Amino acid sequence: MANKVEEYLAKIRQLNGLKNAILCGLTVEKKTGEVEFFLVTDKTYSALEEAQAKKICAEFLPDGFSATVKIVKRVPDAETVKEKIFSYMQKTFPAAAAFLEEGSIEVEMLSSGAHFYVDIASGEQSLFSSGKILDEVSRYLMSGFCGSFYGNVRIVEKAPLDTSILNEVPEDKEEIAAVEIRRFPVCEYQKIDGADFPIEQAVYMADCHQLEEPYSVCGKVTYIEEIKYVRHNERTGEDVEKTRFSLSLTDGTANLRTTYFPKKATVEKVREIKIGDNIVITGENEEYRGSRSFKAAKINYGQPPAGFEPVARKGKPVPKFYHTVFPQPYTDYKQTGFFDDLSKPADLKNNVFVCFDIETTGLNNNPAMGRMDKIIELGAVKIVNGEMVEKFSSFIACPDRLSREIINLTGITDADLVGAPEVDKVLADFYKFTDGALLVGHNVGFDYRFVQYYGEQHGYMFDKKQYDTLSLAQEVLRGKLANYKLNTVADYYGLTFNHHRAFDDACVTAKVFIELVKAKGYLN
């Protein structure tokens, strides 16, 4: 496969505008057999070269498949490369990054690629040489930018660390509460496929995505299916029929979905498990293509204590300051007349509301149903005393390539997300933006589950009362509309907007919400 990629790139790079191009991904449309090649170049390319690239792509496809090509021109500057290096090292090599500041990195841009230098003190070089950290950083840069990237260390004199400051908390730094891992005792353990000694503790399913070591979960089965599949035995050359089980269970804090591969001695016992049974599954988290899932190893009977009530989890405090996404004052002069009514309902005047919307890579907001889709944009507007006064808007970095459907639907492209902040940074600021507010959305549960899930992953416990303009519209405008989609309700009130963009949707949702509350006169 590697040779094929090299052969493919060798042909692509014969085109002048693509002579440094990298292949960032392939997208296969199963129904049509169309394969899209995603190329990044640092050169200006012509329409003719794009057509030639498409022809080369087709040469490397099996019969029955057709080729399309998407080319993005991406030329980083030194500051962008420096930020990428520093961010990647903090995330991937935290021990080494602890000795660095962003100013410790210098980038020298070349005609194709760059050299970068890391300034370290004498004695720290082993941190960077033992694990080939700089080689890993170079590979990371070459996966997203064209050209070659080479790193080296420079030994510099550093001032000795003033240890007295370690006991001080600067006023502009926030104390971060550690996110606890909650557990409960397992009762009525019965062995199916596990050790003779009982599993004594189970991790809350809402917390288990944070664990690195093996652990057990315990809950009620909500779905179980036996699946037959064929595995080829390399030793005998025969195809052998195997069995696996797809299961979903819940403990009241979250749902978990996994696949279990039984042993011959236990397959009949596992077949006896039915929906509604309480079981214990032991396994560990595994990473695949940027997504984390639970890999089951052992399965046994067991259940939570009688009358089990989940304990609320403590999260991080509301940040004292905005760090990444800074809200801006909001004024919409087209709203003339909207807020002129001095008899605004008390519920509208006496509460603070945040109307929000997100754009995502897909529709899966339930980790029990497989890989969670990612948030790629978040937009919100704050309503105080019945008036829209503040806006919050940001793209969010996404490790996955956007599908053609999402690009066509939202108009957001992969290039738009280059350099965007990570989801934890955006949600930390959004957590502060929503402090003391009630949340509003159109079909709000869909968006809120994404925010809750990714918020909890980073210690931000979104637990807000929500109002749904979809339900309000069904109540207030019953019989007046063919449906209650956001654009239909907006049309009713004469509002125009750029649908399927987060801030635009949030903004029109706020306007619709105000009108619906005024029409109803109160909120439940």
Side-chain angles (χ1 to χ4, degrees):
M1 179 65 182
N3 291 336
K4 276 289 184 184
V5 173
E6 291 172 7
E7 182 185 347
Y8 165 76
L9 286 174
K11 284 199 170 187
I12 284 290
R13 289 168 179 169
Q14 290 175 5
L15 304 174
N16 191 53
L18 301 173
K19 66 180 182 180
N20 297 320
I22 57 174
L23 178 65
C24 285
L26 299 172
T27 301
V28 180
E29 183 64 49
K30 293 182 179 179
K31 292 183 179 179
T32 62
E34 188 174 84
V35 180
E36 184 181 75
F37 290 70
F38 178 38
L39 294 167
V40 171
T41 182
D42 57 352
K43 306 291 183 184
T44 300
Y45 61 93
S46 65
L48 175 59
E49 287 173 324
E50 185 174 6
Q52 291 171 325
K54 179 179 177 181
K55 185 176 180 181
I56 293 171
C57 293
E59 295 175 8
F60 286 82
L61 293 178
D63 292 340
F65 289 86
S66 59
T68 61
V69 64
K70 176 182 178 180
I71 305 174
V72 172
K73 184 181 178 183
R74 188 180 295 167
V75 183
D77 56 23
E79 197 61 33
T80 299
V81 174
K82 182 191 295 187
E83 290 174 1
K84 289 291 184 183
I85 293 170
F86 189 64
S87 173
Y88 179 72
M89 289 194 65
Q90 283 185 309
K91 185 184 301 181
T92 312
F93 305 107
F99 292 86
L100 292 181
E101 298 176 351
E102 195 165 341
S104 305
I105 302 169
E106 181 182 336
V107 176
E108 178 188 349
M109 298 305 298
L110 305 174
S111 58
S112 177
H115 288 166
F116 61 93
Y117 306 92
V118 179
D119 293 341
I120 60 176
S122 177
E124 297 173 359
Q125 58 263 45
S126 61
L127 279 169
F128 294 85
S129 58
S130 59
K132 297 185 177 179
I133 289 177
L134 298 183
D135 290 342
E136 289 295 323
V137 173
S138 297
R139 277 192 284 271
Y140 165 71
L141 293 172
M142 286 188 282
S143 70
F145 300 117
C146 298
S148 299
F149 293 81
Y150 299 99
N152 208 342
V153 297
R154 295 189 302 202
I155 307 302
V156 298
E157 291 296 325
K158 289 188 178 181
L161 177 65
D162 181 4
T163 57
S164 65
I165 67 172
L166 298 179
N167 296 321
E168 300 176 6
V169 179
E171 291 184 1
D172 62 342
K173 298 294 183 182
E174 297 156 20
E175 295 183 17
I176 304 300
V179 179
E180 62 181 316
I181 303 297
R182 298 167 295 176
R183 293 176 169 83
F184 61 83
V186 175
C187 304
E188 300 185 29
Y189 176 86
Q190 295 180 45
K191 177 183 174 182
I192 297 177
D193 174 22
D196 291 328
F197 56 86
I199 303 297
E200 295 182 348
Q201 295 281 319
V203 174
Y204 280 35
M205 292 180 195
D207 301 354
C208 65
H209 58 266
Q210 303 173 60
L211 293 173
E212 301 298 335
E213 69 276 8
Y215 61 91
S216 298
V217 292
C218 175
K220 184 177 292 186
V221 177
T222 58
Y223 169 82
I224 182 167
E225 180 185 6
E226 181 178 347
I227 301 170
K228 300 289 187 181
Y229 68 101
V230 174
R231 174 175 289 174
H232 183 71
N233 188 318
E234 296 289 348
R235 185 174 59 82
T236 64
E238 297 178 348
D239 290 335
V240 181
E241 185 177 75
K242 297 281 189 178
T243 295
R244 69 174 185 266
F245 290 88
S246 178
L247 303 101
S248 295
L249 59 158
T250 182
D251 64 359
T253 70
N255 301 307
L256 183 142
R257 184 175 182 177
T258 189
T259 298
Y260 173 71
F261 296 87
K263 299 179 177 67
K264 287 183 179 180
T266 58
V267 65
E268 291 299 331
K269 292 181 180 180
V270 177
R271 284 181 177 141
E272 295 175 3
I273 297 174
K274 54 188 180 299
I275 292 175
D277 287 348
N278 283 285
I279 62 173
V280 182
I281 299 181
T282 302
E284 60 185 326
N285 293 324
E286 65 175 5
E287 300 279 350
Y288 180 69
R289 292 185 177 177
S291 181
R292 173 165 283 204
S293 60
F294 179 68
K295 182 180 180 181
K298 303 288 185 182
I299 187 168
N300 299 283
Y301 286 114
Q303 60 184 32
F308 170 67
E309 290 289 340
V311 177
R313 189 175 76 187
K314 295 179 182 179
K316 294 178 181 178
V318 175
K320 294 180 182 178
F321 308 100
Y322 292 103
H323 292 288
T324 304
V325 184
F326 296 88
Q328 301 294 322
Y330 179 81
T331 303
D332 186 352
Y333 297 104
K334 296 179 181 178
Q335 290 185 84
T336 304
F338 252 178
F339 308 129
D340 294 342
D341 184 359
L342 300 180
S343 61
K344 287 176 286 192
D347 286 344
L348 196 57
K349 293 191 295 182
N350 298 338
N351 292 291
V352 176
F353 302 93
V354 169
C355 302
F356 77 104
D357 185 81
I358 62 174
E359 301 302 332
T360 63
T361 58
L363 301 178
N364 185 22
N365 61 7
N366 183 358
M369 298 306 294
R371 185 185 185 189
M372 280 281 293
D373 282 301
K374 306 292 194 302
I375 306 174
I376 56 175
E377 187 181 29
L378 193 156
V381 63
K382 186 173 289 185
I383 299 174
V384 179
N385 195 31
E387 297 188 8
M388 299 159 61
V389 298
E390 204 170 22
K391 67 179 288 187
F392 181 101
S393 181
S394 179
F395 285 124
I396 297 176
C398 179
D400 304 328
R401 184 159 171 252
L402 301 183
S403 69
R404 181 172 301 162
E405 291 77 12
I406 293 301
I407 293 172
N408 291 340
L409 181 68
T410 65
I412 299 172
T413 67
D414 296 289
D416 292 325
L417 305 183
V418 174
E422 300 291 336
V423 66
D424 59 324
K425 305 295 185 186
V426 176
L427 288 182
D429 288 336
F430 187 59
Y431 194 60
K432 178 173 177 60
F433 188 71
T434 60
D435 186 35
L438 306 171
L439 295 188
V440 180
H442 199 76
N443 191 20
V444 67
F446 174 82
D447 295 307
Y448 191 58
R449 279 191 288 273
F450 278 103
V451 170
Q452 268 194 317
Y453 174 79
Y454 286 109
E456 287 181 5
Q457 280 197 322
H458 300 288
Y460 297 105
M461 304 297 115
F462 285 89
D463 187 18
K464 306 283 187 182
K465 186 173 182 179
Q466 306 138 58
Y467 289 97
D468 193 343
T469 51
L470 174 62
S471 300
L472 273 172
Q474 289 172 329
E475 182 181 353
V476 174
L477 303 177
R478 185 179 301 278
K480 297 180 179 181
L481 303 176
N483 60 64
Y484 299 94
K485 296 178 181 178
L486 181 59
N487 55 328
T488 304
V489 180
D491 286 344
Y492 177 82
Y493 286 115
L495 304 171
T496 58
F497 67 112
N498 182 17
H499 199 16
H500 295 302
R501 286 303 303 269
F503 178 73
D504 297 274
D505 283 4
C507 187
V508 81
T509 298
K511 296 175 183 179
V512 163
F513 176 68
I514 291 168
E515 290 300 297
L516 290 171
V517 177
K518 286 167 64 177
K520 185 177 179 180
Y522 65 94
L523 284 169
N524 294 332

